[in-house]
């Protein structure tokens, strides 16, 4: 089975702190994604990566950066956390090659910024 | 462009049928359906490809109308386990990204 794991299920940080969210997948997937999920807004793409050291902005990249140094690991970084970044963060991964490849999701990290 | 899902919420009794929809204003290559239960990760259900291909998962089936750029998910003889939020993700040609809708909340009661 495909497994996508995220470093924390729950995280509480203070405004202005630097926050790292880690995601690891074990299926040798080329593509990895970071989404945030808010009530009534669905899943919104923050960033995605289609290869090591490659990244592309999604729909809401402001206030976030990412890092992909190894194929299996994709990190989301909040340089200076703000209260409006309180949300559920979901990581996903998929194969490349077909436009219709399934995305597999991790369990999510619920981040609270005080 | 985010697809539009309707209705926003559905409440049905065990054994009843329901249809939920996902529409896009852009030409699509495929539509992906996921279900998410409270506090859990979205789980992949099925993919619908252009050409009107219909695929099923247990008593849940779906269709993709390429002309209308719309997909419908059919919950037949619903079970309590069908409760959750259903998301559609749409893919356009030459694009590995999925645009997700806001979700359809489905509640199945005994």
């Amino acid at each position: 089975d495909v497994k996508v794991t995220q470093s924390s299920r729950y995280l509480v940080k203070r405004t202005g702190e630097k926050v790292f969210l880690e995601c690891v997948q074990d299926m040798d997937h080329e593509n990895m994604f970071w989404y945030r999920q808010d009530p009534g807004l669905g899943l919104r793409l923050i960033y995605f990566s289609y290869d090591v050291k490659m990244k592309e902005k999604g729909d809401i990249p402001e206030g976030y950066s990412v890092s992909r140094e190894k194929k299996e690991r994709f990190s989301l970084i909040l340089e200076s956390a703000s209260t409006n970044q309180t949300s559920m963060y979901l990581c996903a991964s998929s194969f490349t090659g077909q436009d219709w490849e399934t995305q597999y999701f991790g369990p999510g990290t619920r981040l609270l910024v005080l | 462009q985010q697809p539009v899902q309707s209705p926003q919420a559905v409440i049905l009794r065990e054994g009843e049928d329901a249809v939920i929809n996902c529409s896009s204003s852009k030409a699509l290559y495929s539509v992906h359906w996921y279900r998410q239960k409270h506090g859990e990760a979205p789980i992949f259900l099925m993919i619908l490809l252009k050409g009107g291909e219909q695929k099923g998962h247990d008593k849940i089936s779906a269709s993709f109308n390429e002309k209308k750029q719309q997909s419908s998910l059919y919950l037949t003889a619903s079970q309590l386990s069908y409760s959750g939020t259903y998301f559609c993700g749409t893919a356009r040609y030459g694009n590995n990204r999925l645009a997700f809708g806001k979700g359809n909340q489905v509640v199945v009661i005994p």
Side-chain angles (χ1 to χ4, degrees):
Chain A
D1 280 350
V2 174
K3 196 162 185 185
V4 180
T5 56
Q6 295 184 227
S7 50
S8 306
R9 291 300 302 270
Y10 301 94
L11 213 50
V12 180
K13 296 291 180 180
R14 296 209 173 271
T15 302
E17 279 193 81
K18 191 168 186 175
V19 182
F20 292 87
L21 301 182
E22 301 279 330
C23 175
V24 178
Q25 51 93 4
D26 66 357
M27 279 302 290
D28 204 34
H29 285 169
E30 293 86 358
N31 302 318
M32 296 188 76
F33 307 82
W34 274 108
Y35 295 90
R36 67 177 279 177
Q37 183 176 28
D38 300 289
L41 296 180
L43 295 161
R44 294 182 292 166
L45 182 64
I46 305 171
Y47 266 98
F48 73 100
S49 168
Y50 50 89
D51 202 350
V52 175
K53 297 190 187 293
M54 305 303 286
K55 61 185 179 185
E56 280 197 28
K57 292 180 180 179
D59 301 316
I60 51 165
E62 297 78 19
Y64 303 95
S65 62
V66 290
S67 172
R68 191 155 179 215
E69 297 296 319
K70 293 185 177 181
K71 192 174 185 180
E72 68 271 17
R73 189 179 298 269
F74 192 33
S75 302
L76 179 69
I77 303 154
L78 287 66
E79 294 290 340
S80 178
S82 63
T83 54
N84 63 13
Q85 292 178 311
T86 290
S87 187
M88 168 70 92
Y89 291 87
L90 288 164
C91 174
S93 68
S94 73
F95 280 116
T96 268
Q98 299 285 351
D99 289 336
W100 41 268
E101 285 296 346
T102 302
Q103 290 190 17
Y104 295 90
F105 285 85
T109 296
R110 191 168 290 282
L111 173 67
L112 173 62
V113 182
L114 301 173
Chain B
Q1 180 118 19
Q2 191 174 34
V4 176
Q5 293 188 241
S6 63
Q8 199 170 0
V10 177
I11 300 175
L12 57 159
R13 291 197 178 275
E14 207 172 355
E16 290 182 339
D17 302 338
V19 181
I20 55 180
N21 301 299
C22 171
S23 299
S24 174
S25 59
K26 304 288 185 183
L28 300 175
Y29 184 85
S30 63
V31 179
H32 305 227
W33 283 98
Y34 290 79
R35 178 173 63 207
Q36 183 180 32
K37 294 186 179 286
H38 185 70
E40 298 179 10
I43 300 297
F44 169 74
L45 292 177
M46 65 190 75
I47 294 174
L48 288 304
L49 304 177
K50 76 179 186 80
E53 192 169 347
Q54 187 165 355
K55 295 182 177 290
H57 175 272
D58 199 9
K59 289 198 173 77
I60 299 175
S61 60
S63 61
F64 178 22
N65 186 321
E66 195 182 339
K67 285 185 181 176
K68 291 185 178 179
Q69 302 305 325
Q70 177 176 305
S71 177
S72 296
L73 192 73
Y74 306 95
L75 307 177
T76 305
S78 59
Q79 303 170 17
L80 297 176
S81 61
Y82 289 1
S83 292
T85 301
Y86 289 77
F87 291 100
C88 70
T90 55
R92 299 181 62 194
Y93 295 95
N95 193 330
N96 267 324
R97 298 167 50 164
L98 293 179
F100 285 93
K102 294 181 180 180
N104 308 89
Q105 187 174 6
V106 173
V107 176
V108 181
I109 57 177

